[in-house]
Amino acid sequence: MSVAPEIAILAEAALLVPTKPAGTQPAGAQPAGAQPAGTQPAGALTATRAPQVPQVTLGTLARQLRMLAATPERWWGLVQFNQDRSVKIRVEDQPEYEAWLVVLPPGDSGRDCDCDAVTIIAGEATEGAPGSAVLRPGPTRVHGQPHRLRGHGAGYSISLHAQARRARASGASAEPIIH
């Protein structure tokens, strides 16, 4: 099965030039009012802050998903076809977000998904109830709530998903993901 046309469409839509994050400074530069290294005032106390996970917007998350979809060399070797069940495969695990592939075999009843953004890589899928609109390769779909993804058609469906990091309740169980 070839997915070259779908990947070419995604590559056209993706902006492959990385942007400079807001608030970054050139190497060696210090923020305004900062003391040079090693010159803390006498008796000054230093506080250690826990690192904070930057929050990403849905637009940034969708852009990251398009860029990831447009670089199949980063994930194509992870794809697994299982005719008996759907497969979820972790692709990226960043501090701000995580991304994974879902491979749905023909005739699969689907799987629940709580991603923030999804794009179909190959094949076709539907969301929600049977008979819903068919999703095809190319566009990125942004979600606001959990949904059910179902394969559509006679072939495998491969989709790429992303979710922004959120604080998880302690003891929350996560679905096993193939690495």
Side-chain angles (χ1 to χ4, degrees), residues 8-173:
I9 291 169
L10 291 169
E12 288 174 5
L15 176 62
L16 298 178
V17 178
T19 59
K20 182 177 175 184
T24 59
Q25 299 196 4
Q30 293 186 6
Q35 295 281 336
T39 60
Q40 293 286 338
L45 297 176
T46 58
T48 304
R49 293 185 184 177
Q52 293 185 354
V53 175
Q55 296 297 308
V56 296
T57 65
L58 287 175
T60 300
L61 191 63
R63 180 175 53 95
Q64 288 296 111
L65 189 67
R66 285 191 309 272
M67 289 174 56
L68 185 58
T71 53
E73 63 274 9
R74 293 170 59 187
W75 49 263
W76 187 250
L78 302 172
V79 173
Q80 298 176 23
F81 297 97
N82 184 328
Q83 64 184 8
D84 298 325
R85 64 177 178 84
S86 60
V87 181
K88 182 176 179 180
I89 306 156
R90 178 173 287 140
V91 176
E92 279 199 4
D93 192 6
Q94 300 294 324
E96 305 87 15
Y97 70 95
E98 60 183 321
W100 64 91
L101 290 162
V102 171
V103 181
L104 297 168
D108 189 74
S109 61
R111 71 170 31 229
D112 293 328
C113 185
D114 63 348
C115 69
D116 294 320
V118 62
T119 189
I120 304 297
I121 299 295
E124 297 177 336
T126 61
E127 289 181 307
S132 299
V134 177
L135 306 176
R136 293 186 171 85
T140 299
R141 186 166 176 92
V142 177
H143 300 284
Q145 59 192 9
H147 54 280
R148 185 152 186 91
L149 189 67
R150 301 174 196 279
H152 181 79
Y156 282 85
S157 172
I158 304 172
S159 52
L160 184 59
H161 304 252
Q163 181 180 49
R165 293 281 186 202
R166 296 180 184 94
R168 274 212 156 120
S170 62
S173 62

